[in-house]
Amino acid sequence: MMKKKKKNNADAQIKRFSIGMISPAILVLAVMTAYPLIFTLVYSFSDYNLLKAMKDGVQSIGLKNYTDLLTDSYFQQSVWNTVKFTVLTVVLEMLVGFGMALFVNTLRRGQKAMRTLLLLPYLLPTVTVAMIWRMMFSPNYGIVNQAMEALNLPVYNWFSDIHTAFGMLVLIDVWQCAPFVFLLLYAALQSVPQSQYEAARIDGAGPVKILFFVTIPNIKKSLALCALLRTIDSFRLFDKVNLLTGGGPANSTSTITQYLYNYGIQSFDFGFGSAGAIVMTVIVLILSSFYIRRAIK
Amino acid sequence: MKKKLLAVLLAGTMVCSMAACGKKSGADAGSSKEDSGETSSMSIVLRGGVYADVIKECLPAFEEEHNVTIDVQELSEDDLHTSVALNATSSEGAYDLCMVDGSWMAEFTDSGVLANLSDLGYELDDDIIEATTSICYVDDNVYLAPYYGNVTVLMLNKANVEEAGYTADTIESMDDIVDICKKAKDSGKLGFLYRGDSQNNLVVDFLPILLSYGGWVVDENNQPTVNTEEFTEAMNCYMELVGTGEAQVKDDLVASVDSGAATMGIGWPGWYTPTEDSAADYIALSGKASADSEANNANVYGIWCLGIPENSQNKELAAELLTYLMDKDVQLGTVESGGVPCRYSSLQNEEVLAKYPQYEVVCQALESGVYRPVMAEWTEFYTTLGTEMDNIINGAKTVEQGLADAQAELEEIMAQ
């Protein structure tokens, strides 16, 4: 009887301790994530305009923001641009980052120096990256156009030409973010047991077979995590677009976030902007659901 | 028991500390400082660049005289717009003086963002160019003071223009401008440059051309008029101009015109200071579509005004600062550093004109300038119009289709 009582006391103590330990995290999560998310959801059903609300208050308008948003051809184009951008950058970044990781992993000397050098673009602030690329591709003093002119190649107004602007944004994002993929995959490659490589080589496997039957299966969780993180990040692309193209020319580079900035934030129409943010969250959740389901299992 | 006592003691200490940390209300704090002769502080928010630089150089004298330290925040146009609006939602504002673009006037006064300057004892004087004050009043009360006389001008490369058989003085109409740009393109240079990096820039750069054709974006009732004959003609002219050049960001545009890589573009006086030896110059647009057509007011204001937020905690001192900054002698002193006062005493000053002859052009442009429409929906308006213009310029829509779509969308915005 006494033993049982002691055990119950110990269990209750452990439970209390667990709750005590977990409660700060829950509190932070509730304040920093749940509260803004719920507020955004509530605002998305209202006509909340920052300035007009000071005079007229906020009225509920049901689903109007959502119907306006989903029937707007410019929003549809922004969604399509965002999906296209996300797919292209994630695929390219995964390939380039993986290639970099494999290359550095095979180096016998200078791994640390190479690792640091390859990481540099990812360490730069996005504003700096945007300015560097704008200067390099400037139609006036840009080194790229000057080099192309010297080689008698056609020159472009890279960020204002409807045929090149989108590609430029993809290129810059891949340049900046492939090192992130490299970093994660390089760390994963370090943990692949060398014995598996040796066994594969003894069995006569070539480099391609080793890659597909030893390396990739061993780092597939890291590959999936990388793809998920890059998908979420690419989907939220804003700063590069805003700084370099503003969504133009002719909406060819307008992403969901840029659209929301132009039509929601700039005009202080936060109700409409909130509806856009909710739609965007839902799309990201759908895109990442595959990974989340696997993670929960 | 001991533990409980300790817990109560600790809780009591915490409550006392929090109470001790609570600050006095702004007014009380300010008055106590004034009473004790302590240095008080103010915060002002300005548009970054030369607009803020000329104000910053005037501040030390005011700070010394009033025993005040002034914290200056310099922001980009978009950030300034957002910051002033967000600041207005607090009961106690963080800013005591703010720079306001003329096109924000309607939405700011509609929502009570700005303080009534007349109530604070400030009035605009007769030395200020009258046309620049047209948006500063609401029911005869002053809400803004026009500080920096930004007005659109045609920036041009003198050599390229001469090569095309013209001089800055002989450009009489839009036809001449198109002719010069076409000749420049034929000789392997860029003709007309425009800023295509945002809807606002697209619209603003086009407005002087629209005005030259006698068109405008709204009628007297603020209803959209973008699908009219005048607008279509102006857009067709703009397409001809755009065909001779390309879109560039502001810094590239100035560099291109200065180097002669491009021939002309719509600009602002704050961007470039021409001298007799400089390769580039600027002129006020004549406002004529062709040599024999009527001349219209074709210069669009981008005047940076000064206002006091309604929720400022130092309104009286802010009004004193505003009066000081708007003083004719103080404003004359800013010319040397690139200031463009909206004052006759500065722009027609003989010494100033001897050194900076371009101020004559600026003065003419300011006398006959036009403000962007004064309406609370202007941000949505230019976003929509700029988007459709972007589509037209890049061939995604025809002029007719783009303007018809813009008209329909703008009517919907104005009906809400």
Side-chain angles (χ1 to χ4, degrees):
Chain A
M1 190 66 183
M2 279 288 279
K3 264 186 185 178
K4 203 177 174 184
K5 202 176 171 185
K6 266 187 183 175
K7 191 178 179 297
N8 283 345
N9 274 346
D11 284 349
Q13 241 177 353
I14 288 168
K15 207 175 170 183
R16 274 203 301 273
F17 180 74
S18 306
I19 291 168
M21 287 296 104
I22 210 170
S23 53
I26 288 175
L27 192 72
V28 169
L29 204 67
V31 173
M32 306 299 282
T33 309
Y35 178 76
L37 200 66
I38 291 165
F39 243 78
T40 307
L41 187 68
V42 172
Y43 278 148
S44 73
F45 297 105
S46 75
D47 66 350
Y48 178 47
N49 179 299
L50 184 75
L51 288 180
K52 287 177 188 161
M54 288 166 66
K55 197 174 70 171
D56 305 326
V58 180
Q59 312 294 325
S60 173
I61 53 168
L63 292 170
K64 187 175 181 304
N65 285 331
Y66 288 95
T67 52
D68 286 352
L69 191 72
L70 297 172
T71 54
D72 185 348
S73 60
Y74 292 131
F75 180 72
Q76 290 162 8
Q77 191 179 351
S78 300
V79 173
W80 170 236
N81 285 343
T82 310
V83 171
K84 205 165 62 170
F85 179 86
T86 304
V87 171
L88 277 171
T89 53
V90 171
V91 169
L92 289 171
E93 281 161 18
M94 292 298 291
L95 287 174
V96 174
F98 189 34
M100 282 155 67
L102 286 173
F103 168 69
V104 175
N105 198 40
T106 56
L107 289 177
R108 288 173 186 241
R109 281 196 300 180
Q111 270 200 22
K112 278 183 184 170
M114 188 58 89
R115 196 173 58 196
T116 312
L117 286 174
L118 287 173
L119 264 178
L120 281 178
Y122 190 67
L123 302 178
L124 293 172
T126 309
V127 178
T128 313
V129 169
M131 290 301 123
I132 289 171
W133 282 79
R134 176 183 274 180
M135 277 196 277
M136 285 202 308
F137 284 83
S138 161
N140 270 308
Y141 41 79
I143 191 170
V144 175
N145 273 5
Q146 285 186 9
M148 289 179 85
E149 261 177 353
L151 296 168
N152 284 326
L153 291 170
V155 293
Y156 294 94
N157 191 358
W158 300 94
F159 295 109
S160 301
D161 190 319
I162 198 163
H163 302 107
T164 54
F166 186 82
M168 285 305 299
L169 290 176
V170 172
L171 176 69
I172 296 169
D173 201 70
V174 171
W175 178 81
Q176 193 189 11
C177 299
F180 170 77
V181 176
F182 153 71
L183 187 68
L184 284 194
L185 296 186
Y186 175 72
L189 284 174
Q190 303 274 297
S191 63
V192 180
Q194 288 302 310
S195 56
Q196 289 191 16
Y197 287 120
E198 281 159 21
R201 273 188 220 110
I202 290 166
D203 288 347
V208 178
K209 279 194 173 170
I210 289 177
L211 176 69
F212 283 100
F213 294 103
V214 179
T215 308
I216 292 177
N218 270 296
I219 62 165
K220 64 181 182 189
K221 281 187 181 169
S222 297
L223 282 168
L225 179 68
C226 257
L228 174 81
L229 294 176
R230 288 308 311 141
T231 302
I232 293 170
D233 199 39
S234 300
F235 216 84
R236 294 179 306 161
L237 176 77
F238 173 70
D239 31 21
K240 290 188 192 87
V241 176
N242 192 255
L243 288 164
L244 293 169
T245 66
N251 285 298
S252 60
T253 61
S254 177
T255 54
I256 299 176
T257 45
Q258 182 65 42
Y259 172 90
L260 296 178
Y261 177 75
N262 285 344
Y263 292 91
I265 308 301
Q266 267 192 324
S267 50
F268 306 124
D269 197 351
F270 290 173
F272 186 75
S274 299
I278 295 294
V279 170
M280 190 172 143
T281 309
V282 170
I283 297 173
V284 174
L285 277 175
I286 292 168
L287 281 176
S288 50
S289 61
F290 174 73
Y291 180 84
I292 291 170
R293 255 207 326 263
R294 280 182 66 105
I296 290 168
K297 273 179 186 175
Chain B
M1 189 62 192
K2 271 183 188 173
K3 272 185 185 176
K4 276 186 184 172
L5 198 68
L6 187 68
V8 170
L9 206 69
L10 282 172
T13 312
M14 198 171 75
V15 169
C16 290
S17 323
M18 286 172 84
C21 290
K23 72 166 190 160
K24 282 182 181 181
S25 72
D28 291 350
S31 62
S32 72
K33 273 181 183 173
E34 271 176 35
D35 294 345
S36 64
E38 273 180 55
T39 307
S40 55
S41 63
M42 287 175 78
S43 177
I44 66 176
V45 62
L46 307 172
R47 168 75 168 93
V50 67
Y51 319 107
D53 292 343
V54 291
I55 288 188
K56 282 194 294 184
E57 71 173 31
C58 301
L59 294 179
F62 183 87
E63 286 176 313
E64 199 179 336
E65 193 183 330
H66 291 80
N67 195 24
V68 60
T69 54
I70 301 174
D71 173 51
V72 181
Q73 268 193 52
E74 293 177 66
L75 301 174
S76 68
E77 185 175 346
D78 285 346
D79 288 344
L80 179 63
H81 185 215
T82 310
S83 294
V84 175
L86 280 173
N87 176 60
T89 58
S90 315
S91 54
E92 289 185 10
Y95 305 131
D96 300 307
L97 187 85
C98 58
M99 226 171 208
V100 174
D101 183 88
S103 63
W104 310 340
M105 173 67 171
E107 66 178 335
F108 281 1
T109 45
D110 259 15
S111 312
V113 174
L114 298 171
N116 184 336
L117 300 181
S118 299
D119 285 351
L120 293 167
Y122 179 78
E123 291 299 337
L124 297 171
D125 59 75
D126 294 340
D127 183 42
I128 298 172
I129 298 171
E130 196 182 351
T132 65
T133 66
S134 62
I135 57 138
C136 300
Y137 292 93
V138 177
D139 300 330
D140 294 334
N141 290 311
V142 185
Y143 280 81
L144 286 177
Y147 182 76
Y148 195 100
N150 238 8
V151 60
T152 52
V153 286
L154 184 71
M155 191 177 167
L156 51 87
N157 181 279
K158 289 190 261 188
N160 287 6
V161 170
E162 279 165 23
E163 208 175 295
Y166 292 80
T167 63
D169 301 331
T170 59
I171 300 173
E172 286 184 357
S173 64
M174 288 308 304
D175 284 351
D176 291 346
I177 292 171
V178 173
D179 186 42
I180 293 166
C181 291
K182 280 184 175 170
K183 283 178 178 163
K185 197 193 176 189
D186 292 344
S187 65
K189 295 175 190 112
L190 288 170
F192 185 84
L193 298 183
Y194 68 100
R195 291 177 300 156
D197 53 342
S198 76
Q199 286 94 344
N200 188 24
N201 291 342
L202 273 165
V203 172
V204 170
D205 284 5
F206 171 70
L207 290 180
I209 291 145
L210 175 62
L211 284 162
S212 298
Y213 277 83
W216 193 230
V217 286
V218 287
D219 61 17
E220 60 277 10
N221 300 314
N222 272 350
Q223 290 308 303
T225 54
V226 303
N227 196 17
T228 59
E229 200 180 317
E230 294 85 2
F231 205 108
T232 309
E233 277 179 25
M235 198 68 216
N236 285 329
C237 169
Y238 199 57
M239 292 299 286
E240 275 192 87
L241 285 173
V242 164
T244 67
E246 62 184 24
Q248 292 192 2
V249 293
K250 178 204 131 193
D251 292 342
D252 279 333
L253 189 153
V254 175
S256 293
V257 175
D258 190 43
S259 70
T263 307
M264 51 178 65
I266 299 291
W268 303 89
W271 290 2
Y272 187 82
T273 307
T275 60
E276 267 186 36
D277 304 330
S278 63
D281 198 355
Y282 50 70
I283 58 169
L285 278 174
S286 68
K288 289 164 85 170
S290 59
D292 51 359
S293 63
E294 181 190 346
N296 300 289
N297 284 347
N299 303 298
V300 178
Y301 289 144
I303 292 174
W304 284 105
C305 303
L306 293 176
I308 297 174
E310 178 62 40
N311 56 1
S312 159
Q313 300 301 295
N314 294 299
K315 272 189 198 163
E316 282 75 22
L317 193 55
E320 280 186 53
L321 176 61
L322 178 75
T323 310
Y324 166 75
L325 291 173
M326 287 300 295
D327 180 83
K328 61 173 78 167
D329 294 328
V330 174
Q331 287 216 295
L332 180 64
T334 66
V335 169
E336 195 71 33
S337 321
V340 185
C342 303
R343 290 184 171 278
Y344 287 113
S345 57
S346 298
L347 300 176
Q348 293 181 345
N349 182 294
E350 281 176 18
E351 278 176 35
V352 169
L353 287 174
K355 202 168 180 185
Y356 306 105
Q358 75 273 15
Y359 278 82
E360 194 182 338
V361 171
V362 175
C363 189
Q364 284 166 11
L366 284 172
E367 283 178 313
S368 59
V370 178
Y371 271 107
R372 279 162 275 176
V374 180
M375 56 181 173
E377 299 82 4
W378 178 241
T379 308
E380 289 148 287
F381 195 100
Y382 76 65
T383 303
T384 302
L385 180 57
T387 302
E388 292 302 339
M389 283 180 59
D390 198 15
N391 284 331
I392 295 169
I393 290 167
N394 287 289
K397 288 184 182 177
T398 62
V399 172
E400 290 73 23
Q401 191 190 350
L403 295 186
D405 287 352
Q407 177 73 22
E409 288 167 42
L410 294 173
E411 280 175 10
E412 204 176 310
I413 288 171
M414 297 312 289
Q416 278 170 8

